[in-house]
Amino acid sequence: MNDSPHLTFDLDKAGVSRGYLVVPKGADCEALSLPVCSISKGEGPRLLITGGCHGNELEGPIVARRLIKWLPEAQTCGRTIIVPELNPLALQAWTRNTPVDGKNLNRVFPGRADGSVTERIADAVSRVLLPMADTVFDLHSFSPTWDFPPAVITHPIADAELMAKTLKIAEAFKLPVTLLWEYYDTPGMFDLTAHEQGKVFICTEFGGGTVGAEDLAIYEAGVRNAFIALGLVQGEAKHPIFQRQESSQTLETLSSDILTSPARGIFEPRCSILDEVKQGDLIGLLHPMDSLSAGSIDICAPTTSIVCAIRSGLHVEADEEIVYLARPLKL
Amino acid sequence: MNDSPHLTFDLDKAGVSRGYLVVPKGADCEALSLPVCSISKGEGPRLLITGGCHGNELEGPIVARRLIKWLPEAQTCGRTIIVPELNPLALQAWTRNTPVDGKNLNRVFPGRADGSVTERIADAVSRVLLPMADTVFDLHSFSPTWDFPPAVITHPIADAELMAKTLKIAEAFKLPVTLLWEYYDTPGMFDLTAHEQGKVFICTEFGGGTVGAEDLAIYEAGVRNAFIALGLVQGEAKHPIFQRQESSQTLETLSSDILTSPARGIFEPRCSILDEVKQGDLIGLLHPMDSLSAGSIDICAPTTSIVCAIRSGLHVEADEEIVYLARPLKL
């Protein structure tokens, strides 16, 4: 019996190989076997694609499964390792966090070999898979109660060279938005561990609201564009069509660009994602729910900006985030 | 003290009046006061608009509040009574059903004066408000885990004259879809009580997925078109723009048009709402979640039809509804 995390197959074998990443058993549950597909075509870039970090974000697992269908034929060099479902326990339970230990996989990296199951998954990924790749695409989804464009998100990285390299690959997806998000990374995020190992880490955040056939097609086209940019696949990158347009923009969101609800009530959005707003423009209304005579509260743009994400017309609590504004990134 | 449901103000007063519909207290909770706005401009059609029957469907309350802003000036005759939030207890709790008694307001009509609070709300609406109107617009929302076009839904009505009158007003909204849905009405639905009183009952079902500014604008434009058709407001009806098109179609969905999931897993939508599909066309895939090698299951169109509603790319249980097909209505 092997008590260390390991792969059940030889990733270096030429062609397509399938097997499992084994996460050893612990006090809280039995060993897990995460399905892994590897496509090896000799020398070249080494890419790791992960989906299903959170069990309620399904664009990633769906798109990863699609890649497994066409990539074996399309890939001409290098190696791609695909793990569609990083956290099968959360996926089976349809929850963001792992039900066994209540932990968020994206907050426990690099994990612990002797930890609870979520920490053991992170440990297996950090020690077995991450060293085998130079670049990671981690496929996430935005919240279903927000409207959000297909986007690649990256956070500021202290290492200027890695930051530039990351932004370049992020933009190669040619998605409607590449977002540099000033977000104070919480300890335990996957990207921090990847950065520590010197890897380019790309987080796609798709969806928000309905996950439809068109969203999935955009998602897949973006990933294909990145494959082409990396040189793993031959072909011409194409702008996916979003809101009937072919366009990409690189934006920046600062912490001060996030607007919160002034009270508990119903949020009424008055603008749409990618709308440009000027200072004072109405972004939405907050309706108190107790009386028709209690006036609604206007929520206005504090500065000229682009609406990057906006809550659906739904209940919100006081101080809940309702809008992310952004502006063109100037480096 | 008045132990019967009643209004706190005189609806017949000319102009705009505001007050409350009082739902008497019972064993389970104190009396409720539902905000009501009435716009009386003399002789003419008598319309009742209700929103917030279900506490998790907020397009209705938002649009009803918008109407209260512009209708007082725009309405030229007749009377409109607006109750944006039929079930304030469910809205406050952000739940479909009333938390106090766990009941679905749209399953307890005509209600009971000596019943639990949800039944008392239905009783107040049935006995106080409904007799004061000839036509009812009940503003609902479709599920957030589906993609669904802005639509007016009606079920088959045995009374042919009422059916024809209802369809005519439904089509006057000029929304992308007017849907005649073969649905075996569950006892206790609001429309059954309205039909028993000989009223035209129109149910709008908007949204599904993200409720954005554009959806709300379409919703409001549809209601405005219906006001014009009824003669309450002067002006020209305009097709709201949906998916960058101006179009309306009247469709029919039979019980046999509802496809369900063949297994538990992840549903991957492969077509979009209002797509036309031919027999055998791929509508979506069902992915089992336990293994990458377990094949996905194709879900194909059983007959030439139009996709009226489709589940988001999300987890589904076996036998859960995933697609509503439809076809042009032939009367």
Side-chain angles (χ1 to χ4, degrees):
Chain A
M1 184 175 156
N2 185 337
D3 271 348
S4 293
H6 61 278
L7 287 161
T8 60
F9 65 117
D10 179 10
L11 279 181
D12 289 326
K13 209 182 110 190
V16 182
S17 326
R18 286 159 190 264
Y20 295 92
L21 171 67
V22 176
V23 177
K25 75 171 184 179
D28 53 357
C29 78
E30 288 302 306
L32 300 178
S33 294
L34 277 50
V36 176
C37 177
S38 170
I39 300 142
S40 290
K41 299 276 179 101
E43 290 300 306
R46 301 183 312 151
L47 178 64
L48 169 64
I49 295 184
T50 50
C53 174
H54 295 130
N56 59 345
E57 298 178 3
L58 300 185
E59 281 103 331
I62 290 173
V63 170
R65 282 164 181 260
R66 286 199 192 183
L67 297 178
I68 291 172
K69 287 192 183 164
W70 59 260
L71 200 56
E73 193 165 329
Q75 187 180 317
T76 55
C77 67
R79 185 175 64 201
T80 309
I81 302 169
I82 303 175
V83 190
E85 294 162 9
L86 270 188
N87 192 343
L89 298 173
L91 278 152
Q92 285 286 344
W94 306 358
T95 54
R96 179 173 176 82
N97 292 359
T98 319
V100 174
D101 58 11
K103 291 188 174 158
N104 178 340
L105 177 55
N106 205 22
R107 296 293 181 276
V108 299
F109 273 86
R112 285 171 52 198
D114 62 347
S116 66
V117 65
T118 312
E119 295 167 318
R120 295 199 305 277
I121 295 173
D123 176 64
V125 173
S126 304
R127 288 200 291 149
V128 179
L129 295 180
L130 206 44
M132 305 178 90
D134 309 311
T135 304
V136 181
F137 295 169
D138 191 31
L139 314 179
H140 283 257
S141 309
F142 213 73
S143 162
T145 58
W146 285 74
D147 199 8
F148 187 74
V152 176
I153 293 184
T154 179
H155 304 305
I157 304 169
D159 177 334
E161 195 184 332
L162 190 58
M163 177 83 262
K165 212 166 151 187
T166 301
L167 262 182
K168 194 179 160 198
I169 297 182
E171 288 177 336
F173 281 70
K174 295 188 181 292
L175 286 172
V177 170
T178 300
L179 185 66
L180 182 65
W181 183 359
E182 184 196 48
Y183 178 86
Y184 299 103
D185 277 335
T186 317
M189 288 179 75
F190 189 6
D191 47 358
L192 298 182
T193 296
H195 292 156
E196 277 162 20
Q197 294 189 21
K199 317 294 185 189
V200 169
F201 185 93
I202 300 287
C203 174
T204 52
E205 287 278 3
F206 284 74
T210 302
V211 179
E214 286 181 30
D215 308 291
L216 293 170
I218 292 173
Y219 204 144
E220 188 177 0
V223 176
R224 185 176 176 278
N225 286 340
F227 275 118
I228 293 169
L230 285 173
L232 286 161
V233 165
Q234 304 296 311
E236 201 181 333
K238 283 179 193 163
H239 276 284
I241 293 167
F242 178 68
Q243 294 181 337
R244 317 258 158 167
Q245 289 191 325
E246 290 183 14
S247 75
S248 301
Q249 49 190 332
T250 302
L251 304 176
E252 180 181 37
T253 282
L254 305 176
S255 299
S256 55
D257 286 319
I258 300 175
L259 307 187
T260 57
S261 176
R264 184 178 195 266
I266 299 173
F267 176 63
E268 175 182 344
R270 279 293 180 105
C271 56
S272 303
I273 49 169
L274 304 188
D275 278 358
E276 290 184 35
V277 288
K278 290 194 214 62
Q279 186 181 13
D281 280 356
L282 187 65
I283 288 178
L285 298 168
L286 195 279
H287 301 281
M289 279 191 295
D290 50 350
S291 159
L292 287 187
S293 52
S296 57
I297 303 167
D298 287 356
I299 297 159
C300 298
T303 176
T304 296
S305 40
I306 294 163
V307 177
C308 186
I310 188 161
R311 278 288 294 252
S312 296
L314 285 174
H315 300 98
V316 291
E317 294 287 357
D319 300 323
E320 236 186 297
E321 296 177 352
I322 46 177
V323 180
Y324 285 40
L325 298 174
R327 67 195 55 74
L329 176 65
K330 286 176 195 154
L331 283 180
Chain B
M1 184 173 156
N2 186 337
D3 270 349
S4 294
H6 61 278
L7 287 161
T8 60
F9 65 116
D10 179 9
L11 279 180
D12 289 326
K13 208 182 111 193
V16 182
S17 326
R18 285 158 190 264
Y20 296 93
L21 172 66
V22 176
V23 178
K25 76 171 182 179
D28 54 357
C29 78
E30 288 302 305
L32 300 178
S33 294
L34 278 49
V36 176
C37 176
S38 170
I39 300 143
S40 290
K41 301 275 178 102
E43 290 300 305
R46 301 185 313 153
L47 177 64
L48 169 65
I49 295 184
T50 50
C53 174
H54 295 130
N56 60 346
E57 298 177 3
L58 300 186
E59 281 103 330
I62 291 174
V63 170
R65 281 165 180 260
R66 287 199 192 183
L67 298 178
I68 291 172
K69 286 192 183 164
W70 60 260
L71 200 56
E73 194 166 328
Q75 187 180 316
T76 55
C77 67
R79 186 175 63 202
T80 308
I81 302 170
I82 304 175
V83 189
E85 295 163 9
L86 269 189
N87 193 344
L89 298 174
L91 279 153
Q92 284 285 344
W94 306 358
T95 54
R96 180 174 175 84
N97 292 359
T98 319
V100 175
D101 58 10
K103 291 188 173 157
N104 178 340
L105 177 55
N106 205 22
R107 296 295 181 276
V108 299
F109 273 86
R112 285 171 52 199
D114 61 348
S116 67
V117 65
T118 312
E119 295 167 318
R120 295 199 304 278
I121 295 173
D123 175 66
V125 172
S126 303
R127 289 200 291 149
V128 179
L129 295 180
L130 205 44
M132 305 177 92
D134 309 310
T135 305
V136 181
F137 295 169
D138 191 30
L139 313 179
H140 283 257
S141 309
F142 214 72
S143 162
T145 58
W146 286 73
D147 199 9
F148 188 74
V152 176
I153 293 185
T154 180
H155 304 305
I157 305 169
D159 177 336
E161 195 184 331
L162 189 59
M163 176 83 262
K165 213 166 150 184
T166 300
L167 262 183
K168 194 179 160 198
I169 296 182
E171 289 177 334
F173 280 72
K174 296 188 179 294
L175 286 172
V177 170
T178 300
L179 185 65
L180 182 64
W181 184 0
E182 185 196 48
Y183 177 86
Y184 298 103
D185 278 335
T186 318
M189 287 179 76
F190 190 7
D191 49 357
L192 298 182
T193 297
H195 292 156
E196 277 162 20
Q197 294 190 21
K199 317 294 186 190
V200 169
F201 186 93
I202 300 288
C203 175
T204 52
E205 287 278 4
F206 283 73
T210 302
V211 179
E214 285 181 30
D215 309 289
L216 293 171
I218 293 172
Y219 203 143
E220 188 177 1
V223 175
R224 184 176 176 278
N225 287 339
F227 275 117
I228 293 169
L230 286 173
L232 286 161
V233 165
Q234 304 297 310
E236 201 182 332
K238 284 179 193 161
H239 276 284
I241 293 167
F242 179 68
Q243 295 180 338
R244 317 259 158 166
Q245 290 191 323
E246 291 183 13
S247 74
S248 301
Q249 48 190 334
T250 301
L251 303 176
E252 179 181 38
T253 283
L254 304 176
S255 299
S256 55
D257 286 320
I258 299 175
L259 307 187
T260 57
S261 176
R264 184 178 195 267
I266 298 173
F267 176 64
E268 175 182 345
R270 279 294 179 106
C271 57
S272 304
I273 48 168
L274 305 188
D275 278 358
E276 289 184 37
V277 287
K278 290 194 213 62
Q279 186 180 15
D281 281 356
L282 188 64
I283 288 179
L285 298 167
L286 195 280
H287 301 280
M289 280 190 296
D290 49 349
S291 161
L292 287 187
S293 51
S296 56
I297 303 167
D298 288 355
I299 297 158
C300 298
T303 176
T304 295
S305 39
I306 295 163
V307 177
C308 186
I310 187 160
R311 277 290 292 252
S312 296
L314 286 174
H315 300 98
V316 290
E317 295 287 354
D319 300 324
E320 234 185 298
E321 296 177 353
I322 46 176
V323 180
Y324 284 39
L325 298 173
R327 66 196 55 73
L329 177 66
K330 287 175 193 153
L331 284 179

